[in-house]
Amino acid sequence: MAYSDQSYNLRIELDTQHFDCSPEQIAYLEDTLDPLRAITKQFPVSDLYITMAFHNHSNQYRVKTSLVLPGRTIATGDVAENMEPAYERCVRKLVKRVEAYKADLGGDAEQAKVIE
């Protein structure tokens, strides 16, 4: 299943493998992104790619995220028996890494436009 949301500055593309997300799960995924939306709103471009796969042999979900910002791509991943904890950890990691990236830019996301 693929899902794409481009209504915000943070454009999201979700790809699930070996399972489908319910509308409630998609709403949960969207809500969980609020901290990431807040920290990336100053960037002119921020594309988030999320891949979630259920592995029958291990009965676990593997979540991979890749956030494309001007001048840097930040990737995270996590594995858990439930999709939600793995996803939440990925989002928290992304927020921390974006904070570090912004600190490297001196807190000025506008400077990232020059990096392109």
Side-chain angles (χ1 to χ4, degrees), residues 7-28:
S7 61
Y8 302 99
N9 184 46
L10 179 65
R11 293 180 291 196
I12 305 159
E13 186 173 314
L14 170 65
D15 183 28
T16 59
Q17 301 168 354
H18 310 294
F19 78 102
D20 288 327
C21 283
S22 68
E24 294 81 17
Q25 287 174 313
I26 290 175
Y28 163 79

Side-chain angles (χ1 to χ4, degrees), residues 34-103:
D34 287 345
L36 189 61
R37 278 193 184 94
I39 199 164
T40 59
K41 69 180 177 184
Q42 295 172 321
F43 288 98
V45 175
S46 53
D47 296 331
L48 177 63
Y49 300 95
I50 306 165
T51 303
M52 298 179 168
F54 179 72
H55 297 277
N56 286 326
H57 64 280
S58 64
N59 206 30
Q60 292 186 323
Y61 289 87
R62 180 171 306 241
V63 179
K64 297 178 183 177
T65 60
S66 181
L67 178 64
V68 179
L69 299 171
R72 178 150 320 158
T73 298
I74 301 169
T76 65
D78 209 293
V79 177
E81 289 184 8
N82 293 307
M83 172 192 67
E84 292 85 355
Y87 176 74
E88 290 170 5
R89 287 190 292 267
C90 282
V91 172
R92 280 195 303 269
K93 291 177 201 177
L94 285 175
V95 168
K96 288 183 182 218
R97 292 177 185 175
V98 171
E99 288 171 347
Y101 178 49
K102 287 175 80 171

